[in-house]
Amino acid sequence: MFLMRTRSWNNNSLLILCLTGLYLHTNGITVLIPHHFVSASVDENAILSVEYRCTGVPTIRWRQLSSRGMTNIITWEPGSYQNISENYQDRIQQYRNGSIQLSNVQLYDAGCYVVTVTDKVGGSKDGVIILNINVLFAISILLMFFLWICNQSVELYKMKKRTQSVTDMELSAL
Ligand SMILES: *[C@@H]1O[C@H](CO)[C@@H](O)[C@H](O)[C@H]1NC(C)=O
Ligand SMILES: *[C@@H]1O[C@H](CO)[C@@H](O)[C@H](O)[C@H]1NC(C)=O
């Protein structure tokens, strides 16, 4: 009786071991990204939204891909530690589901963001989000600046013209 129970336990554990092996083999990590394109205006906050499933203890890492290569933004293990890069220290917030929020986005934040979920047995999965920064606001400031320059130039031109005509009048009076 005792022997039989042991044997059946052994069979079950073998089955579980097999299934676990199969599961690990097929990589027990899922990274789900609902929106691959995210838009925000300058000085707004942007949420890079993701949801993951991981059979073991995950490490979540966000990086930005640019012409300079991959820049680390944040790496954390839920409930254990977090490591935030200097440039993002006071403008990033991470959520339980793996998402991050970037505060006060600027034009240089536009680009490609890569999230990587890694487990302890070396499995990992990536997800990609493109962040687009709307430039309408920035452009309107630029346009206002040009308008101001234009006004100043016109005033300057008029002033020069006036001085010129006064000089001409003085010359003709001589
Ligand atoms: C993850 O959590 C954040 C904050 O609660 C939320 O804004 C975001 O939509 C969530 N993402 C998904 C894919 O559920
Ligand atoms: C945190 O990140 C920096 C730079 O990416 C790295 O040099 C450092 O070793 C990391 N610290 C931990 C605890 O991971």
Side-chain angles (χ1 to χ4, degrees), residues 12 57 63 82 96 98 102 136 146 155:
N12 280 343
V57 179
R63 287 173 294 176
Q82 66 179 44
R96 285 169 69 97
L102 272 176
L136 269 179
F146 277 129
E155 287 303 318

Side-chain angles (χ1 to χ4, degrees), residues 21-30 53 55 117 119 122-125:
L22 206 71
Y23 206 49
L24 286 181
H25 187 71
T26 52
N27 200 343
I29 305 173
T30 324
R53 275 183 203 97
T55 42
V117 178
D119 64 18
S124 86
K125 207 147 249 178

Side-chain angles (χ1 to χ4, degrees), residues 155-166 168:
E155 287 303 318
L156 217 70
Y157 176 78
K158 278 202 253 172
M159 224 155 73
K160 233 187 224 164
K161 259 281 168 89
R162 227 175 286 138
T163 325
Q164 183 94 48
S165 58
V166 169
D168 283 354

Side-chain angles (χ1 to χ4, degrees), residues 11-28:
N11 283 343
N12 280 343
S13 59
L14 207 71
L15 187 70
I16 289 168
L17 220 79
C18 267
L19 283 176
T20 315
L22 206 71
Y23 206 49
L24 286 181
H25 187 71
T26 52
N27 200 343

Side-chain angles (χ1 to χ4, degrees), residues 34 47 49-51 95 97 99:
I47 289 189
S49 183
V50 68
E51 210 178 333
Y95 298 105
N97 60 11
S99 306

Side-chain angles (χ1 to χ4, degrees), residues 48 62-66 69-71 73 109-114 127-131:
L48 306 182
W62 281 91
R63 287 173 294 176
Q64 188 186 10
L65 179 67
S66 67
M70 287 275 213
T71 316
I73 300 174
D109 287 319
C112 179
Y113 289 81
V114 183
V128 170
I129 293 181
I130 307 284
L131 177 62

Side-chain angles (χ1 to χ4, degrees), residues 65-152:
L65 179 67
S66 67
S67 52
R68 287 164 292 135
M70 287 275 213
T71 316
N72 280 322
I73 300 174
I74 182 172
T75 306
W76 82 94
E77 195 181 296
S80 176
Y81 76 92
Q82 66 179 44
N83 192 354
I84 304 176
S85 294
E86 224 174 287
N87 296 342
Y88 293 90
Q89 207 69 250
D90 45 3
R91 62 190 203 96
I92 201 157
Q93 190 185 343
Q94 81 267 40
Y95 298 105
R96 285 169 69 97
N97 60 11
S99 306
I100 54 170
Q101 175 180 271
L102 272 176
S103 313
N104 300 317
V105 293
Q106 301 300 316
L107 284 179
Y108 56 73
D109 287 319
C112 179
Y113 289 81
V114 183
V115 58
T116 307
V117 178
T118 312
D119 64 18
K120 291 280 185 263
V121 289
S124 86
K125 207 147 249 178
D126 294 322
V128 170
I129 293 181
I130 307 284
L131 177 62
N132 171 48
I133 306 295
N134 296 322
V135 289
L136 269 179
F137 183 66
I139 283 185
S140 60
I141 283 185
L142 210 67
L143 281 179
M144 266 157 66
F145 179 65
F146 277 129
L147 195 68
W148 183 78
I149 297 257
C150 193
N151 271 327
Q152 295 301 306

